[in-house]
Amino acid sequence: MQVLRHLLLRLPKSKPYAVNPVSLVSLSSSFHSSHPRWNQEESSENPRVWTFYDPVTDQIVTRADSEEKSTSGDGKEKRFVGKNKKQDEDSSGSNLQTWSSMARRKTGKVKVSWVCENCGATPGQWWGTCPSCQTPGSVKQFSESEVSRVRGVEVSEALVRSWLPKKPGNLAPQSLAEVNKGRDQSEWRIPLSGHFGMEVASVLGGGLVPGSLVLVGGDPGVGKSTLLLQVAAIIAQGLGYKGPAPVIYVSGEESIEQIANRADRMRITTGNLFLYSSTDIEDILDKIQTLSPQALIVDSIQTVYLRGVTGSAGNIMQVKECTSALLRFAKQTNIPVLLIGHVTKTGDIAGPRVLEHIVDTVLYMEGERYSSYRLLRSVKNRFGSTDELGVFEMSQSGLQAVSNPSEMFLSEHHTDSEVLAGLAIAVIVDGSRAFVIEIQALCVFNSVVSRQVNGVQQSRANMIISVLVKQAGLKLQDHAIFLNVVSGFNLIETAGDLAVAAAICSSFLEFPIPNDVAFIGEIGLGGELLRPTN
């Protein structure tokens, strides 16, 4: 860039030049044809002139080499630069050594490490299968330059420097009383109004904390962008807070016209919601400074990059440095930042595992592919509980909160029906809410498939079946057993053991269970019901 800037300054000023992108080939050819030094022919009267860029002095250096001609006995002419050939070779070697040392000093040391693309583990050497997550072929070589790492920190610090208020003197540790002095507890969280907003706020622990960094992950198409677009609209409306305030939704995957089309379909018409499409972190934080937003949403963290950091957008170093830059921005400006993260084949958020340690809150959005219901679960929350669960239904106008979540986990069937044997109702607690779910079991004699389990842990199902064979005396050895939880719910709590056992017994004995009976209890290896721990 310094060379191009110097070349442009030396062009004649008589002709106007438009500020349009120009290819490097055309710019270089026009300079060679217009500059008289490149048109002159080499001769003994005109010595060769060398022009090059010196990165140490940051200048264009022009140097003329004196040439001496000598004629050998055979009449052939030889050229030597300098006093003799050996001196020229020595000077060339010294120059080469100087330039190589300058290049090393310019680029810095390069740290080579092996990183797992799936879980972010660093085993220290190449492995065919990751020792941490046991994923084959996921360990890749990663080169990290010290200059790029330092450059990333410097750039991210410079991004938020203009946002900070001018404070006299140096910052010093403050006592707890000084920090809480004059603080309004009602402003500790940004409330989210409406039935949908209250459902999201309960998962966040009561609302969105100013200056927090929230990461939302989930499978492609599950509704992450829809969720945060609705949250942005609620914050922009400012119901129950200080009033309407600007909220910026930045997308690196969609244009602003595509986002506006989705917002129109969801009937979002607030005027304080600003849309921007960019993938450069410096450009994003520079353009939103004049708006002073109340919240910033980035969709997604794998599409943005930070200039000066090694690698393209989405690699391990870029994801880590971009997240760190946004974290410093959120903490020093007290503006909450919400990120969308892609997930891998195993369901984990793509990128290094340290990404989940950097952010304050990690939310996962779950849902079956052919089901309209979505579950929002908190797996990390520095400002609240991680036991909360939000239940939503995807509709044409966006996500809608489900008033009675137990309805989605129950199927319609007739009471005391002989055909529908093998159905049992379980009551479980997920977070602070109780759910009524339905467990289905099917026992088939002499089947090709031995066992199929959906929604129940395989090891837990094997234990319950073994207890029924040993303690209850059921001849289940020659039967294929199929277990399923309605609506794709994953039963993890041990309080559903008794319902699983009751469903298996109902199907094996061909005896339907009445609808007004529910089962709660954990089964021990001796066939006894264990006392609940809560």
Side-chain angles (χ1 to χ4, degrees), residues 23 28 70 94-95 118 137 149 153 168 181 205 211 233 235 260-261 290 352 365 381 422 435 445 455 479 481 534:
S23 64
S28 177
S70 64
S94 62
N95 290 338
N118 183 35
R149 184 167 61 251
V153 176
K181 183 178 179 181
I235 300 176
N261 185 23
T290 56
M365 201 166 186
N381 193 355
F435 294 93
F445 178 74
H479 289 72
I481 301 177
N534 296 335

Side-chain angles (χ1 to χ4, degrees), residues 369-388:
R369 182 176 182 181
Y370 300 104
S371 176
S372 60
Y373 293 102
R374 302 290 186 266
L375 303 178
L376 185 63
R377 192 184 304 273
S378 174
V379 296
K380 176 189 176 182
N381 193 355
R382 290 176 178 168
F383 313 110
S385 175
T386 58
D387 295 331
E388 299 298 332

